Amino acid sequence: MPLFLKGAILMKNYPEFIEIQFHNKCNSNCLICPYKDMNYKYEKMKDSLFYKFVNELDFTRLKRIIPYLNNEPFLDSDFVNKVEYIRKKLPNVEIEISTNASVISDDAIKRLTKINLTELRLSVFGFSDITYKKMMPNLNKQIVFKNLEKISKEFTGSSTIISIVMIDNGDINEIEFSNMEELCKRLGFKFERWGFLDRSNNVKYKSNNIFNNNVNDCEQNRPIERMHILANGDVILCCQDWKHTIVIGNIEDNTIEEIWNSQKYNEIRNSLYDKSKDSPTICKYCKLGKSGE
């Protein structure tokens, strides 16, 4: 039975989407990302916790699993093994992977073609050498673009949706977006042009200048549809919570279903959706937060 929240918000009793990181490292140092300013201590999910997580997933209620959360997943040498295990245990659940394509190996690409991925999202934030270096300074553009060619070749005929994502931060020439779109057409990829998001005011480079003290909705329905899990097992409210200000529980101590339906989770949801309550601070600063009438 679905849960009923104040404000007529209906929610299923199990997350439809789960984002999870198996480690918390990223290598790109992107201009538009707060990762470089977080000073995270390196964490990698314990094997025992990974298997506990996967083995308890309810494939009848989970729609999509996203083994990525504010990190570069392929920095984990075991990442493809883990995705293969997920697919074995959950043959009909959608799998979405996001990567900057900088460290994906030829072997990983070939193995991914056999997993029946739903989506493979490639973060490529510049077409010219100058823009790419500015946007993703720690990466080698030549290596990345060679990997794009390899991915295109290996996934020929695949049903996997492959997309290149560029971020329109207001500083990129229109020609670059056109050139990237043409490249996508040649490679058989989908082109995505996303607006800039300051990750709930966590990006130092630029701000969306958002503050709304009366937030009572989320444009992406994340609190009622999606669970976010860190490498140490902590469940946070949203991927925009880079400082992990709201930790709801830990999957080592409780099941996904127990955490999802917990009093603490529902109190936090109500603090967002109930107009009479004070919403979470990260929602007030978030471009995706919405206020009602």
Side-chain angles (χ1 to χ4, degrees):
M1 294 291 292
L3 293 176
F4 182 78
L5 299 180
K6 249 184 176 181
I9 301 298
L10 289 174
M11 185 195 74
K12 296 181 180 179
N13 56 13
Y14 200 83
E16 289 189 276
F17 307 90
I18 294 179
E19 292 186 35
I20 185 169
Q21 57 176 212
F22 301 138
H23 70 92
N24 66 345
K25 188 176 181 180
C26 190
N27 61 333
S28 60
N29 202 37
C30 292
L31 177 68
I32 57 173
C33 177
Y35 180 89
K36 57 187 174 296
D37 300 312
M38 293 297 108
N39 296 315
Y40 294 135
K41 178 182 177 182
Y42 177 68
E43 291 183 306
K44 183 174 181 179
M45 182 169 286
K46 297 181 294 185
D47 287 345
S48 59
L49 185 55
F50 167 76
Y51 288 114
K52 176 187 183 296
F53 163 72
V54 177
N55 292 339
E56 74 175 33
L57 288 173
D58 187 340
F59 66 89
T60 66
R61 293 185 286 174
L62 179 66
K63 180 179 180 181
R64 177 175 293 206
I65 185 166
I66 305 164
Y68 155 85
L69 176 59
N70 300 346
N71 69 338
E72 169 46 49
F74 287 95
L75 290 173
D76 178 2
S77 60
D78 299 324
F79 179 67
V80 179
N81 291 333
K82 290 170 180 172
V83 177
E84 288 174 337
Y85 185 78
I86 291 170
R87 173 52 76 216
K88 180 181 178 181
K89 297 293 290 188
L90 306 168
N92 298 315
V93 171
E94 296 177 354
I95 299 177
E96 171 194 319
I97 295 175
S98 183
T99 174
N100 60 40
S102 65
V103 292
I104 187 170
S105 67
D106 294 356
D107 178 65
I109 295 171
K110 290 180 183 293
R111 289 167 66 186
L112 288 177
T113 64
K114 302 174 182 178
I115 294 176
N116 187 27
L117 291 179
T118 306
E119 286 194 54
L120 179 60
R121 294 183 177 178
L122 308 169
S123 297
V124 187
F125 297 155
F127 186 86
S128 71
D129 292 348
I130 293 174
T131 299
Y132 189 89
K133 186 66 176 177
K134 178 181 178 181
M135 296 291 286
M136 310 180 85
N138 281 10
L139 304 186
N140 185 311
K141 182 197 167 192
Q142 284 67 40
I143 291 176
V144 169
F145 276 61
K146 284 181 181 178
N147 285 338
L148 300 181
E149 297 283 349
K150 293 175 184 177
I151 291 169
S152 175
K153 180 180 177 181
E154 293 295 335
F155 275 86
T156 299
S158 169
S159 61
T160 300
I161 298 170
I162 303 177
S163 59
I164 286 180
V165 176
M166 284 187 74
I167 305 298
D168 187 352
N169 65 340
D171 299 329
I172 299 176
N173 191 295
E174 194 66 32
I175 295 174
E176 298 224 20
F177 293 108
S178 298
N179 288 339
M180 189 69 82
E181 189 168 11
E182 286 300 314
L183 175 64
C184 286
K185 289 178 182 178
R186 181 175 68 78
L187 296 177
F189 297 168
K190 182 180 178 182
F191 176 67
E192 297 276 2
R193 179 174 176 170
W194 293 358
F196 171 72
L197 191 67
D198 68 8
R199 319 296 177 92
S200 190
N201 202 38
N202 279 307
V203 175
K204 291 185 177 180
Y205 144 77
K206 196 171 188 176
S207 174
N208 291 127
N209 296 313
I210 298 290
F211 182 81
N212 186 346
N213 199 44
N214 299 308
V215 177
N216 51 53
D217 199 355
C218 173
E219 184 177 310
Q220 296 186 347
N221 296 321
R222 284 179 176 262
I224 58 175
E225 293 182 355
R226 189 174 298 232
M227 179 178 276
H228 306 78
I229 305 172
L230 303 178
N232 66 358
D234 280 348
V235 174
I236 58 175
L237 179 63
C238 179
C239 62
Q240 306 305 322
D241 189 4
W242 285 77
K243 296 177 182 176
H244 310 157
T245 59
I246 302 176
V247 177
I248 301 156
N250 190 291
I251 61 169
E252 191 161 25
D253 303 322
N254 296 97
T255 67
I256 291 165
E257 185 167 8
E258 288 170 343
I259 296 171
W260 184 253
N261 295 303
S262 66
Q263 180 179 349
K264 184 173 183 178
Y265 219 147
N266 282 331
E267 286 176 351
I268 294 169
R269 290 185 183 107
N270 272 311
S271 73
L272 172 60
Y273 290 105
D274 187 338
K275 296 179 182 180
S276 68
K277 297 182 183 297
D278 189 33
S279 56
T281 300
I282 60 168
C283 301
K284 294 179 180 180
Y285 283 100
C286 184
K287 184 180 177 181
L288 304 175
K290 299 191 298 181
S291 62
E293 296 296 330

